[in-house]
Amino acid sequence: MNTKRILLGMFVVLVGLSLSSFCNKDDDRNFQVAKNLDIFNAIFKELDLFYVDTINPEKMIQNGVNGMLQLTDPYTEYYPEEEMSTLKEMITGKYGGIGAVIRYYEKKDRIAIIEPVEGMPAAEAGVKAGDIILSVGGKEMVRGDLKPQDFSSKVSDALRGEPGTSFILKVLRPQKNDSTVMEFKLTRKNIRNNPVPYYGMVHDSIGYLSLTGFTDNCSKDVKKAFIELKDKGAKALIFDLRDNGGGSLQEAVDIINFFVPKGKEIVVTKGKIRQAAGSFKTTSEPIDAAIPLAILVNGNSASASEIMSGSMQDLDRAVIIGTRTFGKGLVQTTRQLPYNGTLKVTTSKYYIPSGRCIQAIDYAKKNADGSVARIPDSLTHVFYTEAGREVRDGGGIRPDIEIEGDKFPNILFYLMNDDLIFDYATQYCLNHPEVASIDSLQITDADYADFKKLVKEADFTYDRQSEQVLKTLKEVAEFEGYMEGAEAEFKALEQKLNHNLDRDLDYFSKPIKEQIAEEIATRYFFQRGAVMQRLKDDADLKKAIEILTSPEEYRKILSVQISR
């Protein structure tokens, strides 16, 4: 009896000590929060009162907020009241305006129309890519002291507004030998970016569908396109999620539900607080739970794209083709703040059916300089699909069939950055008022010769990385005393790496021609034209068709058993 009392007493003491320790830790943290908020508030008051110059309170506090957010992750952001339209557009894909992509055009120090959206007010009125914006509603659009990015925001704000409101847009339109000023009366409307810019048959019995973002109600667009493709005879489907940065988790689950039986758990979210935990299951009967599927992904496929591709991989429901995805396994929610501000904050991580989280970067483990690194493959963990195939966490979705992505040559970056491809497309459209179809569009040798002429007349220059690396290597060799014996070799290498624009334009003609053709296709056929042009010579697409036309190979990929 005495022993039991002693043990019970010890238990009560231990529990009391544990609770006391827990409470002490909690109290200490609360004290640290209160203490540092008081310090921050006191410092601001002292600066505002005594600093020699007048400080801008909004700017100073905003910098403090930004510094605080930099200690989290890139997805946790503060949106003040005046930026709420940006957040709303990002979530819904909708805004009130004319439907046109714009960008700063350095040659004119103005804002140019880059791409009118098909079926929207700008395109319907006849506004074209290449038009230079002069004024909006009678107010001239000049940069002044603004930075290019701020100038673009200024013009964008002027173009947007309440649906139903009208204004006059004045532009400078390039002509063959000159330019002419044109005016358009535009009436704003609700603009919704089309998340499915193109879908169609790419083989006798294979459908193709491009999804650019998981915006509100995009599942309805996907459903409509999928049913139409089935009506056209699609017995298999290629889903293109390349360059799809994600969006709504629920929309991703709804689309997965078209191909997966009711009641399947697709995503589980886990966070620090109970409200961050959740489970997302398919809630309806699928449209087609047996149709063979291939999903195309790349390094820019992120978030909801990875939920879809990863879940379909875990459920052995689709063959994933392409390059490893981005690796974003974080979920954000919005929190309302005083004065109509909003905080978009990461509240949880998501886990797909195999139990893995594909987050590639641990932002809680930043280096001293603020940088973060991807989780190395050696530290990832093995999980298994329903069929027993081995998959891993911690680094995006690794495709079932990996295809090396095309390399983006340095010269192409500078050609695009200097708007030379954009300018050539404008010139091409002036010389070719109509193009019969995407199939008939091709960049001939004569066309490319015209492009090279334009580039040379522009006195185009660009940084050659090989020359920069060689220069650095020479400096290191001299510093370490190896230059004397290697001088001849360096000189020979310099001659071989000599800057030669003609040689580079010819050597990289294939990717440059492809980029030119895509820009021109967008001018005539909008976003669907750009997608169709890219598909003409697409290694991922070819591989998907190859797999889907071979039922035995398709089944083999999805049923391989990995020994444990």
Side-chain angles (χ1 to χ4, degrees), residues 95 98-103 111-117 129 159 193 527:
Y95 63 95
I98 63 171
V101 179
I102 63 172
R103 189 181 73 225
I111 299 298
I113 301 289
I114 302 302
E115 181 190 337
V117 179
L159 293 172
N193 294 320
Q527 270 300 304

Side-chain angles (χ1 to χ4, degrees), residues 284-426:
S284 306
E285 294 301 328
I287 299 173
D288 193 330
I291 187 171
L293 298 171
I295 298 178
L296 310 183
V297 296
N298 64 10
N300 293 322
S301 303
S303 192
S305 290
E306 295 172 296
I307 290 174
M308 180 171 175
S309 57
S311 297
M312 299 293 260
Q313 186 179 57
D314 284 356
L315 298 172
D316 304 294
R317 185 62 189 87
V319 174
I320 314 302
I321 298 172
T323 56
R324 189 190 292 201
T325 62
F326 183 81
K328 180 177 182 287
L330 306 176
V331 181
Q332 287 75 46
T333 56
T334 56
R335 304 288 300 171
Q336 298 304 306
L337 298 176
Y339 302 98
N340 301 315
T342 298
L343 180 68
K344 178 166 72 71
V345 57
T346 298
T347 54
S348 58
K349 294 180 179 179
Y350 68 75
Y351 300 79
I352 49 182
S354 65
R356 57 179 168 151
C357 177
I358 52 80
Q359 176 63 24
I361 297 175
D362 185 354
Y363 291 102
K365 297 179 180 178
K366 291 189 176 183
N367 298 321
D369 61 357
S371 62
V372 287
R374 290 178 68 92
I375 298 172
D377 289 345
S378 59
L379 296 181
T380 60
H381 306 90
V382 175
F383 293 80
Y384 296 93
T385 71
E386 282 194 349
R389 297 184 298 141
E390 184 179 296
V391 290
R392 286 185 169 271
D393 67 355
I397 304 300
R398 186 186 288 275
D400 301 308
I401 299 176
E402 293 195 68
I403 298 177
E404 186 176 351
D406 293 332
K407 294 181 179 178
F408 198 87
N410 191 41
I411 187 173
L412 181 53
F413 170 81
Y414 284 97
L415 287 169
M416 295 177 66
N417 191 61
D418 287 3
D419 286 318
L420 291 171
I421 289 178
F422 180 79
D423 290 343
Y424 178 75
T426 301

Side-chain angles (χ1 to χ4, degrees), residues 452-464:
K452 290 196 291 185
K453 181 182 177 182
L454 181 148
V455 171
K456 292 174 184 177
E457 289 176 349
D459 293 327
F460 172 68
T461 59
Y462 64 101
D463 292 332
R464 286 171 55 90

Side-chain angles (χ1 to χ4, degrees), residues 137-194:
K139 185 176 181 179
E140 190 175 2
M141 294 289 112
V142 292
R143 185 162 74 94
D145 296 329
L146 293 175
K147 296 178 181 178
Q149 184 177 352
D150 295 333
F151 183 31
S152 296
S153 297
K154 172 186 173 181
V155 177
S156 178
D157 291 342
L159 293 172
R160 298 185 182 198
E162 287 297 317
T165 58
S166 300
F167 67 95
I168 300 297
L169 175 68
K170 183 186 289 187
V171 303
L172 184 69
R173 172 162 297 176
Q175 301 292 340
K176 283 189 176 182
N177 299 315
D178 200 358
S179 299
T180 184
V181 175
M182 302 183 70
E183 292 187 354
F184 300 92
K185 183 176 181 180
L186 302 177
T187 300
R188 298 180 181 92
K189 64 181 292 188
N190 281 318
I191 307 299
R192 178 174 181 260
N193 294 320
N194 184 5

Side-chain angles (χ1 to χ4, degrees), residues 271-278:
K272 186 166 64 176
I273 60 174
R274 187 174 60 184
Q275 293 93 320

Side-chain angles (χ1 to χ4, degrees), residues 489-522:
E489 288 83 354
F490 271 108
K491 189 167 291 186
L493 191 55
E494 281 178 341
Q495 291 176 349
K496 288 184 178 181
L497 296 178
N498 187 37
H499 188 98
N500 188 322
L501 181 59
D502 278 316
R503 176 263 180 198
D504 290 348
L505 287 173
D506 289 338
Y507 186 82
F508 294 109
S509 61
K510 185 178 183 293
I512 294 173
K513 281 183 177 181
E514 289 173 348
Q515 194 63 48
I516 292 172
E518 187 176 324
E519 178 67 35
I520 291 172
T522 307

